[in-house]
Amino acid sequence: MLPVIAELLLTLACAVAAWRALREEQGWRALGVASMGVAAFLGALEYGGIAALSEPHHLASVVSGAVGLPLIALGRLSGAPVQRALVLLVCMALVMLPSQVTLASNLIALLVIAWPGRSRRYPLALLGTLLFIGSGLLIGTRGELAGVPRRELFHLGLTIAIVAWVVAGLGSGQPRLSRSPAARHKSP
């Protein structure tokens, strides 16, 4: 039951993050987070008893692991159609390249995500990045830690990282100004 709960929590966090990214016109970010959410949802279904989803879950996890973080780092869906096509070609290449290249691109993406000034709340963006790194490098997905399967701790770490990024307001930079149409003046 714990694997299903951990995957569903990650799915929910990714859905909220993708929705927020779309609201803020962060198309690449939404696609990157959605790729993680799809992998997590397929995992929840697989661990819930639908064994036929084992291969689709694995494939979605590989794709998400290769392109999710770089897309999140890109943020806005901007540029000419040729630039967008180039991004998609690079993503396809990342899926096919050796895992060392994917790891390097993910670490670069995490640096970009946590870069000061790229979010409204830098400490939370940094926390999310550190949780992502810690989940992957320190926790991992094989074996147990204190009697709890590492895979579930890994997914819970990613969930908290995604939530931290949502609260940090990734890609939003400076805090938004009030949308009030009336100018505020001091009383004499």
Side-chain angles (χ1 to χ4, degrees):
M1 187 62 156
L2 183 58
V4 174
I5 292 170
E7 293 278 25
L8 286 176
L9 287 173
L10 182 54
T11 302
L12 178 61
C14 288
V16 169
W19 174 75
R20 288 274 308 264
L22 285 174
R23 278 189 51 212
E24 295 175 1
E25 298 177 5
Q26 303 274 330
W28 292 124
R29 179 163 296 126
L31 188 59
V33 175
S35 73
M36 292 178 192
V38 167
F41 183 68
L42 289 172
L45 294 175
E46 177 190 353
Y47 303 140
I50 305 175
L53 293 177
S54 176
E55 189 59 33
H57 173 224
H58 175 72
L59 180 61
S61 296
V62 168
V63 170
S64 172
V67 303
L69 290 174
L71 288 173
I72 291 170
L74 280 176
R76 287 204 189 280
L77 181 67
S78 59
V82 172
Q83 290 170 320
R84 293 178 188 171
L86 182 61
V87 168
L88 294 174
L89 286 172
V90 168
C91 286
M92 286 192 288
L94 284 173
V95 172
M96 294 182 232
L97 290 171
S99 61
Q100 296 86 352
V101 175
T102 301
L103 178 62
S105 70
N106 281 337
L107 289 174
I108 291 168
L110 286 167
L111 285 172
V112 170
I113 290 167
W115 199 262
R118 288 192 41 109
S119 62
R120 281 185 293 239
R121 295 172 194 92
Y122 171 70
L124 285 172
L126 181 60
L127 174 66
T129 297
L130 293 174
L131 283 167
F132 228 96
I133 292 170
S135 295
L137 296 179
L138 300 177
I139 296 173
T141 58
R142 292 191 176 102
E144 290 187 353
L145 183 65
V148 178
R150 286 180 180 264
R151 180 182 62 203
E152 277 57 80
L153 294 173
F154 170 77
H155 289 128
L156 292 173
L158 296 185
T159 300
I160 297 168
I162 297 288
V163 169
W165 286 344
V166 167
V167 176
L170 286 187
S172 56
Q174 298 299 316
R176 293 183 186 178
L177 299 175
S178 172
R179 293 186 184 191
S180 172
R184 298 184 181 193
H185 299 283
K186 288 186 176 182
S187 298

